[in-house]
């Protein structure tokens, strides 16, 4: 890894371009790195992992002056961005209409930017001269994380990235050296050398049931009108839960409605069925009190809120929710962009570990996979010497059936060992069987996080008692004191007005007590019974 001197201002990169033909570890999320490719004077293909990220960049929730933009669902479609005529967003069905729009865009003069999902890269090559475009593969760590279910798409990127004028694989959370496939291990990796340090605070909260604890937090917001963490008051919550089924359980248990929440997940038939009774939303829709986000929008998507806290929900019995400490946590920590938000660099991680009596130690798993790779290498050598085409055709069919379970891949009529599969298995074993094997193991992984991420972040891992205290219901006398404090103020902010309403909705007799007894005497009372007796 090579340290790269960078130009920065107020925590944002102000570089003209990225280094060529390399991995660029920007270290910090939300530092405006993708914006460099979107706004400089070079032709760029920006390949991103999710549709939501394309939409978020083409239909930003705020304009250049920081004012909110409310986009209607009917306005959002693949094509030229309404806020930037040099930017074309490509996702979804690449049909005749989309191709016509793209061809017209490519015919115009000037610099061209195309932001697209990973699966569109190979299709774009057919319509452009790739030597006229640089390619930025954003959030490149997903090429390993998502390889299990996007094998063909990721193989296409790996096979095609060298045909562009230059390439750069960008991320703030690179694939750890221990799990880095050969194709990336052989690349030059630059690491941004930041002069400023961001402090990120993590509140690990082990519990018996992650979804029930999330419900408890929602009820706390609803009952009290807010949630207080480390002395700061939150009135909005983002729950990062990579399971639509878990989200539905939380919604039902917390008795939320569509008016209370928005759900940002893949907008497909399967999820509509799972979420029956609830609408699927997007990052461009107006914010609500509670927002639920799946991995569709864990990375790169900008959210804005003055008081929102980010809660991560991990269920040890649902592997889809077990987010990685080294790659996912830092990404989620950078999702809220509002600088005045006191929780901007704070995250609460709710988790219940899966109780296991036995697990395969990591070094044993490494040995197993290395043995399997050695067998695959021998088989590749034999196949590349095999003259019988019928045998090779039969072998190709078997590899196609095996899919992700084979270490052998065919490229340009030659067989190769596919170590992406091996590294993915190691990474998944580490996350599911080592990190989440117990609450102690997960918290220990957090303590090691600073060494993994780098010096641009200072990690503060709080004790679990902080969250336990925050969830303790306030006593009546605390509410009474707050009621009196608010009534004494000459003017109230909107949030204070809402807080006062929440208190009086729960204790309507306080208004009568204030009128009959006055604030001074009301403050001296101690119990609900005493106030009611005095006001009868």
């Amino acid at each position: 890894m090579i340290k790269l001197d960078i130009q920065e201002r107020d925590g944002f990169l102000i570089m003209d371009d990225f280094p060529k033909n390399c991995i660029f570890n920007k270290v910090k999320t939300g530092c405006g790195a993708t914006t460099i490719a979107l706004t400089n004077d070079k032709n760029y293909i920006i390949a991103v992992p999710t549709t939501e990220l394309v939409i978020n960049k083409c239909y930003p929730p705020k304009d250049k002056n920081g004012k909110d933009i409310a986009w209607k669902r009917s306005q959002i479609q693949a094509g030229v961005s309404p806020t930037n005529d040099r930017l074309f967003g490509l996702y979804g069905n690449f049909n005749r209409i989309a191709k016509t729009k793209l061809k017209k865009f490519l015919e115009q003069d000037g610099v061209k930017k195309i932001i697209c999902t990973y699966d569109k890269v190979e299709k774009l090559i057919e319509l452009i001269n790739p030597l006229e475009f640089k390619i930025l593969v954003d959030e490149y760590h997903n090429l390993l994380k998502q390889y299990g279910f996007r094998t063909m798409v990721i193989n296409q990127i790996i096979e095609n990235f060298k045909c562009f004028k230059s390439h750069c694989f960008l991320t703030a959370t690179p694939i750890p050296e221990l799990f880095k496939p050969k194709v990336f291990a052989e690349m030059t990796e630059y690491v941004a050398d930041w002069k400023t340090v961001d402090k990120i605070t993590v509140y690990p909260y082990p519990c018996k049931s992650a979804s029930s604890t999330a419900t408890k937090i929602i009820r706390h917001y609803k009952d009290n009108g807010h949630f207080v963490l480390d002395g700061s008051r939150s009135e909005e919550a983002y729950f990062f839960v990579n399971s639509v089924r878990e989200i539905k359980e939380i919604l039902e248990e917390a008795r939320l409605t569509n008016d209370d929440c928005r759900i940002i997940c893949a907008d497909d038939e399967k999820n509509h069925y799972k979420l029956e009774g609830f609408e699927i939303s997007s990052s461009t829709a107006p914010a609500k009190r509670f927002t639920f986000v799946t991995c569709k929008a864990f990375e790169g998507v900008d959210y804005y809120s003055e008081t929102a806290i980010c809660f991560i929900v991990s269920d040890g019995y649902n592997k889809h929710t077990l987010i990685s400490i080294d790659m996912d946590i830092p990404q989620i920590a950078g999702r809220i962009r509002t600088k005045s938000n006191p929780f901007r660099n704070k995250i609460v991680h709710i988790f219940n570990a899966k109780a296991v009596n036995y697990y395969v130690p990591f070094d044993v798993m490494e040995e197993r996979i290395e043995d399997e790779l050695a067998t695959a290498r021998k088989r590749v050598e034999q196949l590349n010497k095999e003259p019988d085409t019928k045998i090779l055709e039969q072998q190709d069919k078997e590899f196609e059936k095996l899919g992700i379970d084979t270490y052998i891949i065919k490229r340009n009529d030659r067989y190769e060992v596919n170590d992406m599969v091996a590294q993915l298995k190691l990474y998944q074993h580490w996350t599911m069987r080592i990190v989440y094997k117990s609450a102690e193991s997960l918290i220990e992984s957090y303590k090691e996080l600073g060494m993994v991420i780098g010096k641009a972040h200072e990690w503060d891992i709080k004790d679990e008692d902080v969250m336990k205290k925050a969830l303790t219901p306030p006593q009546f006398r605390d509410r009474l004191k707050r009621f009196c404090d608010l009534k004494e103020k000459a003017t109230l902010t909107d949030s204070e007005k809402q807080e006062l309403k929440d208190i009086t909705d729960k204790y309507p007799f306080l208004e009568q007590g204030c009128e009959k007894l006055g604030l001074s005497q009301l403050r001296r009372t101690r119990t609900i019974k005493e106030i009611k007796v005095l006001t009868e």
Side-chain angles (χ1 to χ4, degrees):
M1 291 188 289
I2 303 170
K3 285 186 178 179
L4 182 71
D5 287 333
I6 55 171
Q7 295 79 50
E8 57 164 302
R9 185 186 299 125
D10 299 327
F12 290 92
L13 292 172
I14 52 173
M15 303 160 59
D16 293 329
D17 203 359
F18 302 104
K20 298 178 182 178
N21 304 329
C22 65
I23 294 168
F24 179 42
N25 176 5
K26 61 183 180 178
V27 180
K28 293 186 180 185
T29 60
C31 63
T34 312
T35 304
I36 293 170
L38 290 171
T39 58
N40 68 8
D41 60 356
K42 314 293 182 185
N43 289 339
Y44 256 106
I45 305 294
I46 300 111
V48 299
T50 64
T51 294
E52 192 66 30
L53 221 168
V54 177
I55 293 172
N56 193 258
K57 299 305 179 187
C58 290
Y59 295 86
K62 289 187 179 289
D63 63 19
K64 293 179 180 179
N65 298 317
K67 293 183 179 179
D68 293 336
I69 307 177
W71 300 104
K72 295 178 181 178
R73 187 181 286 265
S74 59
Q75 291 177 290
I76 299 173
Q77 54 187 297
V80 179
S81 167
T83 63
N84 181 357
D85 59 8
R86 298 195 307 172
L87 175 62
F88 191 98
L90 183 58
Y91 61 92
N93 188 7
F94 197 18
N95 54 25
R96 183 175 56 83
I97 295 173
K99 287 182 180 179
T100 302
K101 286 182 181 179
L102 180 58
K103 286 178 181 178
K104 185 177 179 181
F105 174 77
L106 291 170
E107 288 169 359
Q108 71 183 28
D109 295 330
V111 176
K112 301 173 184 67
K113 314 285 184 178
I114 303 173
I115 184 169
C116 65
T117 46
Y118 289 161
D119 60 304
K120 299 297 184 292
V121 171
E122 187 172 68
K123 295 175 182 178
L124 273 173
I125 290 172
E126 300 170 6
L127 300 174
I128 64 172
N129 178 0
L131 291 176
E132 293 179 354
F133 285 83
K134 296 185 171 193
I135 186 169
L136 179 73
V137 182
D138 203 3
E139 313 294 356
Y140 102 92
H141 54 279
N142 283 291
L143 301 185
L144 176 67
K145 281 175 51 185
Q146 298 181 2
Y147 194 74
F149 59 91
R150 300 181 79 179
T151 312
M152 187 179 297
V153 167
I154 291 168
N155 282 339
Q156 288 170 358
I157 290 177
I158 291 171
E159 290 167 9
N160 290 308
F161 72 86
K162 288 185 179 179
C163 74
F164 290 89
K165 185 177 181 180
S166 69
H167 56 267
C168 179
F169 289 80
L170 177 69
T171 184
T173 52
I175 300 170
E177 292 297 323
L178 184 62
F179 308 112
K180 191 175 284 186
K182 183 180 178 182
V183 64
F184 301 121
E186 292 176 346
M187 285 187 192
T188 301
E189 182 171 337
Y190 293 97
V191 181
D193 188 13
W194 291 88
K195 302 299 186 285
T196 56
V197 176
D198 290 341
K199 182 176 180 179
I200 296 178
T201 305
V202 181
Y203 300 80
Y205 190 33
C207 56
K208 291 183 179 180
S209 168
S211 59
S212 293
T213 302
T215 300
K216 185 179 179 181
I217 289 169
I218 291 169
R219 286 175 178 162
H220 190 97
Y221 271 96
K222 292 176 72 177
D223 290 345
N224 301 287
H226 59 273
F227 186 90
V228 177
L229 183 63
D230 266 355
S232 296
R233 175 189 171 91
S234 167
E235 296 174 357
E236 191 180 345
Y238 280 71
F239 291 91
F240 292 80
V241 193
N242 193 30
S243 167
V244 174
R245 178 178 60 80
E246 296 260 347
I247 289 173
K248 182 64 181 297
E249 287 179 8
I250 295 169
L251 294 172
E252 290 182 338
E253 192 175 349
R255 297 183 180 180
L256 294 180
T257 67
N258 280 311
D259 291 336
D260 299 317
C261 63
R262 61 175 175 166
I263 303 160
I264 302 172
C265 65
D267 191 355
D268 56 33
E269 187 176 349
K270 186 187 294 184
N271 284 341
H272 277 285
Y273 175 76
K274 290 178 182 177
L275 289 167
E276 184 180 6
F278 290 91
E279 298 171 358
I280 292 176
S281 186
S282 76
S283 62
T284 61
K288 295 184 181 179
R289 193 175 196 182
F290 304 108
T291 297
F292 295 84
V293 185
T294 66
C295 66
K296 169 186 169 70
F298 275 12
E299 301 158 325
V301 178
D302 299 334
Y303 298 108
Y304 297 89
S305 171
E306 292 291 339
T307 69
I309 297 176
C310 291
F311 296 90
I312 299 167
V313 183
S314 298
D315 180 356
Y317 293 87
N318 184 346
K319 66 179 182 179
H320 301 295
T321 68
L322 303 185
I323 67 170
S324 69
I325 302 303
D326 48 5
M327 288 194 262
D328 290 327
I329 293 287
Q331 289 285 347
I332 293 171
R335 288 309 97 221
I336 303 292
R337 302 299 199 215
T338 309
K339 287 194 171 184
S340 56
N341 184 334
F343 307 104
R344 181 170 179 260
N345 290 325
K346 296 181 179 183
I347 46 177
V348 177
H349 190 180
I350 307 161
F351 64 92
N352 59 284
K354 183 177 181 179
V356 290
N357 295 322
Y358 172 77
Y359 67 96
V360 178
F362 187 71
D363 57 347
V364 174
M365 190 65 177
E366 277 187 301
E367 289 175 8
R368 285 183 186 177
I369 289 179
E370 184 52 44
D371 288 343
E372 292 169 359
L373 281 171
T375 303
R377 291 186 193 104
K378 291 178 182 178
R379 184 63 180 144
V380 163
E381 191 175 345
Q382 293 169 353
L383 288 170
N384 285 328
K385 293 177 181 177
E386 177 59 61
D388 192 329
T389 55
K390 288 186 178 179
I391 292 176
L392 294 177
E393 285 174 3
Q394 181 60 36
Q395 188 66 76
D396 289 346
K397 289 179 181 178
E398 289 181 19
F399 288 150
E400 190 174 340
K401 287 179 182 177
L402 287 169
I404 190 65
D405 292 323
T406 178
Y407 292 120
I408 299 174
I409 191 170
K410 194 173 186 180
R411 288 195 178 108
N412 301 320
D413 295 324
R414 294 280 297 175
Y415 294 93
E416 298 177 8
V417 173
N418 185 8
D419 74 329
M420 288 283 287
V421 175
Q423 298 295 52
L424 176 63
K425 285 185 177 181
L426 277 176
Y427 172 71
Q428 289 176 335
H429 180 79
W430 175 262
T431 301
M432 290 186 280
R433 298 288 180 260
I434 308 300
V435 173
Y436 280 91
K437 70 180 181 183
S438 67
E440 292 77 16
S441 175
L442 183 62
I443 291 172
E444 185 61 32
S445 296
Y446 269 118
K447 291 177 181 177
E448 297 171 0
L449 188 61
M451 293 182 283
V452 176
I453 301 302
K455 71 175 186 178
H457 297 94
E458 177 188 332
W459 291 85
D460 181 17
I461 313 303
K462 294 289 188 179
D463 189 86
E464 63 187 77
D465 288 341
V466 176
M467 271 299 293
K468 287 181 179 178
K469 183 179 178 182
L471 277 170
T472 302
Q475 299 295 314
F476 169 71
R477 56 187 172 187
D478 296 325
R479 296 254 179 88
L480 172 61
K481 181 180 182 302
R482 184 61 178 161
F483 171 83
C484 294
D485 289 344
L486 291 171
K487 293 294 281 187
E488 281 183 337
K489 295 186 73 169
T491 57
L492 298 177
T493 64
D494 289 341
S495 63
E496 287 172 335
K497 289 176 184 176
Q498 183 59 50
E499 184 181 3
L500 183 60
K501 182 179 182 302
D502 291 337
I503 295 172
T504 53
D505 284 348
K506 189 171 183 66
Y507 304 105
F509 56 85
L510 287 179
E511 285 287 3
Q512 185 182 2
C514 181
E515 291 175 9
K516 287 194 173 184
L517 304 176
L519 284 175
S520 296
Q521 187 176 353
L522 187 61
R523 277 186 186 279
R524 293 195 295 270
T525 57
R526 289 289 180 268
T527 66
I528 295 174
K529 183 179 179 180
E530 185 179 354
I531 294 173
K532 287 184 175 180
V533 168
L534 290 172
T535 55
E536 285 179 354

